[in-house]
Amino acid sequence: MLRMSPPSAWLQRFAPNAPGRALDLACGSGRNLLWLAAAGWQVTGVDRDSAATAPLRSHAEIIDADIENVAWPLAGREFELVVVCNYLWRPLFDDIRAAVKPGGWLIWETFADGQQSIGRPSRPEFLLQRGELLRVCAAWHIVAFEDLFEAGVNPRYVQRVAARRPPL
């Protein structure tokens, strides 16, 4: 049995109730993927770390791909929910948006500018600029957005968006 780490609180707050097809991009060891699968979602996970994703194969479709260095492996596929957590690679913005079915949801949270002062990642290309996720979803319905510093045990600068793609 897999030990499930807690999923993203942002995902839990904004995931639609009606399960459908979900994509967990850069799924890692599967904390969000497993939560979605347990809630009845048909989940596809993508990650380059096949050792981390191996235990997830009985719960979801897993695509082993280094998406920063290969062609987008999900071309032509759409999902009711796309989740991106703690990952940023700007060349994929258009592919990620296209993976969200019209009327579907994009739930994205990752490190923002300022994070380099307190920890990883320190490379600016892996940090969102102020308001960047709002710009990525500019033509969509923004349900919620945060761009803030979270104090506490693991302080961090974070940016989050929950957005719905307009229906056709």
Side-chain angles (χ1 to χ4, degrees):
M1 183 166 145
L2 282 173
R3 189 178 133 263
M4 191 166 99
S5 298
S8 158
W10 192 253
L11 172 62
Q12 291 179 74
R13 183 175 170 192
F14 291 106
N17 289 329
R21 290 167 298 155
L23 169 63
D24 186 358
L25 190 65
C27 65
S29 60
R31 69 186 182 112
N32 296 320
L33 180 149
L34 292 170
W35 182 80
L36 288 165
W41 288 86
Q42 180 184 353
V43 188
T44 298
V46 178
D47 202 281
R48 67 181 178 185
D49 185 352
S50 58
T53 60
L56 306 175
R57 294 182 191 284
S58 62
H59 301 277
E61 172 192 20
I62 301 297
I63 298 172
D64 296 316
D66 181 355
I67 55 178
E68 296 169 18
N69 295 302
V70 299
W72 179 245
L74 299 160
R77 292 182 66 182
E78 292 182 330
F79 301 86
E80 283 80 20
L81 172 62
V82 173
V83 178
V84 186
C85 191
N86 296 332
Y87 181 74
L88 176 66
W89 187 250
R90 287 177 181 87
L92 295 178
F93 282 175
D94 289 341
D95 293 314
I96 293 168
R97 281 190 303 253
V100 180
K101 182 179 182 174
W105 286 78
L106 174 63
I107 297 177
W108 197 335
E109 66 175 314
T110 196
F111 299 111
D113 187 44
Q115 182 68 22
Q116 67 272 31
S117 66
I118 59 172
R120 298 181 329 166
S122 59
R123 293 171 52 186
E125 63 268 30
F126 295 123
L127 300 171
L128 288 164
Q129 298 303 305
R130 296 292 168 214
E132 190 168 3
L133 286 181
L134 283 178
R135 293 187 295 278
V136 168
C137 300
W140 294 27
H141 172 68
I142 305 297
V143 176
F145 176 75
E146 293 182 342
D147 189 347
L148 51 87
F149 173 75
E150 292 181 326
V153 176
N154 296 309
R156 64 189 185 145
Y157 289 87
V158 67
Q159 198 170 126
R160 300 177 177 105
V161 71
R164 290 199 71 184
R165 183 177 176 182
L168 291 177

